[in-house]
Amino acid sequence: MLPLANAAKAADQWPSRPVKWVVPYLAGTGPDTGARILAESAGRLLGQPVIIENKGGAAGNIGARQVARAAPDGYTWIYSAAPMAANVLMYRSPGYDVMKDFRHVMRLTTSDVLLVVNPASGIETLQDLVTKARAAPGKLDYASGGVGTPSHLGVELFLNAADISATHVPYKGASELVNAVLGGQVSFGMPIFAVAFPQVKAGKLKALGVAGTRRNASLPDVPTLAEQGVQGVQLTSWGGLSLPAGTPDAIAARVYEVFSQMLKDPPVIASLSELGSQVSPSTPEGYLQVIRHEVELTGQMMKSAKISPL
């Protein structure tokens, strides 16, 4: 840890070199693409490049561990998202404490979760999927982006609410999840909207329902699961920005200022909207509440779906 005088001087001079932004998911996923849009704008405002480093694996735990141990000097950030909060309960030893090891700056975006199938599957509606699952209990399989991700817990909630069963096939990220459904390796999945939307729009995936409280404006004809009689599956994925614990106040405040400014910029908003993400900035205090709520929600979902920590 830097002495206080040196820390203050470092904060005054920050940033004097490129910043590394760790995205704990695979390249090409929704979080990765969104972070790259933001990194480009942040670099211009800060006067130093913001370089994305993908550290996928273990539902985001590998990247989170790396940043938790990084120097608190403002030069290492993490794209913190819902799985980072969920993993404190999903894993017995995730390798970090989501509340103690990070300084949470702000929520950036939110994204709906979609239930999708391959159009060639012959499944046209949510009821078709439920009927097929009931006819062959446990025979259908579904892909997730990893244990504890919204795409895993969301399906387990859906299965519980619909009183059906299916076999879980975890992948390393949302893009691999989508590829598995596209390739017919699995029957269905519930990826985040930002990853599924381009494929739905192109007709390569069929969306059966939105796991949210209301329909998504980009797919107004796709009803929510609740509208179709499956209650209690209301999920919203979110992403934000966090720093290692101990990062100086001045640096954290500057990062918050830059991102608050960026998220009001129409071109940035438009680029993120094209991904299916909604700009949803929060204060640092508000982001803490979002993370705490996610931990509580994960506990409830694990209990409902009878999932034990790994």
Side-chain angles (χ1 to χ4, degrees):
M1 189 71 67
L2 289 170
L4 290 178
N6 290 343
K9 183 179 179 181
D12 288 341
Q13 297 173 342
W14 183 88
S16 59
R17 54 186 170 87
V19 173
K20 178 171 65 179
W21 192 0
V22 174
V23 175
Y25 309 106
L26 299 177
T29 58
D32 171 68
T33 305
R36 290 179 187 277
I37 291 169
L38 294 169
E40 184 178 352
S41 294
R44 287 197 297 268
L45 291 173
L46 290 171
Q48 289 288 345
V50 176
I51 301 168
I52 299 295
E53 180 177 295
N54 296 99
K55 284 286 182 182
N61 284 345
I62 293 174
R65 288 176 202 140
Q66 176 183 323
V67 177
R69 296 167 186 149
D73 56 10
Y75 291 99
T76 305
W77 307 347
I78 187 164
Y79 182 93
S80 47
M84 199 166 101
N87 287 351
V88 300
L89 295 182
M90 287 298 307
Y91 289 80
R92 297 184 191 279
S93 300
Y96 61 89
D97 186 314
V98 73
M99 300 308 299
K100 294 180 180 179
D101 291 338
F102 302 95
R103 178 164 191 160
H104 300 295
V105 177
M106 66 189 303
R107 183 180 62 191
L108 303 171
T109 59
T110 58
S111 181
D112 285 328
V113 176
L114 279 179
L115 175 58
V116 298
V117 296
N118 189 313
S121 66
I123 298 172
E124 295 292 329
T125 66
L126 181 67
Q127 190 55 50
D128 287 345
L129 177 63
V130 171
T131 299
K132 193 170 183 178
R134 284 182 178 157
K139 296 296 184 181
L140 295 187
D141 47 18
Y142 73 91
S144 81
V147 175
T149 61
S151 57
H152 172 214
L153 294 178
V155 172
E156 289 297 329
L157 274 181
F158 161 65
L159 296 175
N160 187 61
D163 194 26
I164 57 177
S165 61
T167 301
H168 180 209
V169 183
Y171 287 82
K172 292 182 179 179
S175 58
E176 288 195 4
L177 180 174
V178 166
N179 287 337
V181 181
L182 287 171
Q185 281 87 40
V186 295
S187 304
F188 66 100
M190 284 180 69
I192 60 173
F193 194 96
V195 179
F197 179 60
Q199 303 296 341
V200 174
K201 191 175 180 182
K204 296 179 180 180
L205 286 179
K206 183 173 184 60
L208 301 183
V210 178
T213 56
R214 58 183 181 275
R215 299 189 185 197
N216 189 287
S218 296
L219 290 175
D221 295 332
V222 178
T224 66
L225 298 181
E227 286 181 88
Q228 300 177 80
V230 180
Q231 305 294 330
V233 188
Q234 297 179 354
L235 292 174
T236 300
S237 183
W238 47 263
L241 174 60
S242 301
L243 312 171
T247 300
D249 291 349
I251 291 177
R254 177 63 177 147
V255 174
Y256 176 75
E257 176 188 17
V258 164
F259 275 81
S260 295
Q261 180 179 340
M262 280 174 11
L263 293 175
K264 295 175 184 176
D265 185 25
V268 171
I269 294 172
S271 294
L272 292 171
S273 295
E274 287 176 8
L275 295 176
S277 297
Q278 292 86 44
V279 171
S280 307
S282 72
T283 63
E285 295 76 15
Y287 194 28
L288 282 172
Q289 291 302 316
V290 168
I291 292 169
R292 289 191 184 104
H293 175 71
E294 189 70 27
V295 174
E296 293 171 2
L297 179 62
T298 299
Q300 295 168 10
M301 289 192 292
M302 289 175 67
K303 183 177 180 181
S304 175
K306 299 179 175 61
I307 296 174
S308 299
L310 296 175

